Amino acid sequence: MTATGQRTDKLLAIMESQPVIPVLKIDRVADAVPLARALARGGLPAIEITLRTPAALDAIRAASSEVPEALVGAGTILNPEQFAQAEAAGARFIVSPGLTPALIEAASKSDVPLLPGAITPGELMAAADRGYSLLKFFPAEQAGGAAFLKSLSSPFAGIRFCPTGGVGEKNATDYLSLPNVVCVGGSWVAPDALVAAGKWDEIEALAKAASTLKR
Ligand code: 3PG
């Protein structure tokens, strides 16, 4: 176990395995399995189920246990309690919009890798000091977009990002073409309306298009 809590090799393997990680807000547990299957069929097996709904932990549990081809992570993890709940539900990676001493402590006791968020130079330096070199950049578009992220690549050459927030099919390649971006995250591959209507084939097609985006 390293001191940092970020299991960089595991996390990098996940982030390099696909250009887009679907960020999912699941309202009905019953949607988790068909949704994870559709995304995996479309070439996006790694998914982030956010803890933004009461169904989230059960959705992580269901997708992890019933969809072996999926690699299910948990997102919007704000504190150690949620970290532990997500890990117990089967999450294989943990995503947080930020990084706190409490989360660093929780991650240091777990084998599950943490992708924490950082935006400002000071936040990047604090994260790097704790051994975190792979970071989420959120909310990407609102925080300054690809131009902002590009300007971090020279002073922080060792830090790489998964930007999320306002990233979609139109601007994904603006981010993916940057030297300090490994992958992007976004909800556009699983729009609420398609999930609510159970249009899994359409979600598979969106995933297929996203999975072939160039980096
Ligand atoms: C996240 O938590 O990563 C974002 O909320 C995803 O943002 P999007 O819905 O704009 O893709």
Side-chain angles (χ1 to χ4, degrees):
M1 190 186 294
T2 70
T4 66
Q6 180 168 47
R7 306 292 179 265
T8 308
D9 48 345
K10 274 193 209 173
L11 193 58
L12 193 59
I14 297 166
M15 291 173 61
E16 282 181 334
S17 66
Q18 56 194 59
V20 178
I21 298 193
V23 176
L24 309 173
K25 190 169 76 51
I26 296 181
D27 290 310
R28 294 180 305 201
V29 179
D31 291 333
V33 168
L35 179 55
R37 283 193 183 127
L39 291 166
R41 279 199 306 275
L44 300 178
I47 58 176
E48 174 191 330
I49 297 179
T50 59
L51 261 66
R52 297 186 197 175
T53 63
L57 287 169
D58 285 335
I60 292 169
R61 213 167 278 124
S64 312
S65 61
E66 291 173 48
V67 191
E69 66 274 30
L71 203 159
V72 182
T76 322
I77 298 296
L78 305 178
N79 54 52
E81 189 190 359
Q82 291 176 334
F83 191 116
Q85 289 170 333
E87 184 174 357
R92 308 259 298 274
F93 63 97
I94 300 285
V95 184
S96 175
L99 186 59
T100 63
L103 266 185
I104 291 172
E105 169 77 11
S108 73
K109 296 179 188 150
S110 170
D111 284 331
V112 180
L114 169 66
L115 177 69
I119 295 175
T120 65
E123 289 167 353
L124 266 63
M125 288 158 68
D129 276 354
R130 305 304 301 257
Y132 287 85
S133 58
L134 290 174
L135 301 171
K136 173 178 164 116
F137 179 73
F138 169 83
E141 278 294 284
Q142 297 79 357
F148 184 106
L149 203 46
K150 186 177 182 197
S151 68
L152 296 172
S153 65
S154 175
F156 300 106
I159 298 186
R160 293 196 286 165
F161 296 91
C162 174
T164 80
V167 181
E169 54 193 336
K170 288 200 175 65
N171 60 359
T173 47
D174 296 346
Y175 290 96
L176 289 168
S177 60
L178 298 178
N180 56 347
V181 168
V182 186
C183 62
V184 300
S187 58
W188 86 90
V189 289
D192 288 346
L194 293 188
V195 175
K199 298 202 166 165
W200 312 122
D201 289 351
E202 290 185 38
I203 289 174
E204 178 183 340
L206 286 172
K208 209 158 261 169
S211 71
T212 53
L213 287 171
K214 294 275 168 290
R215 296 190 249 208

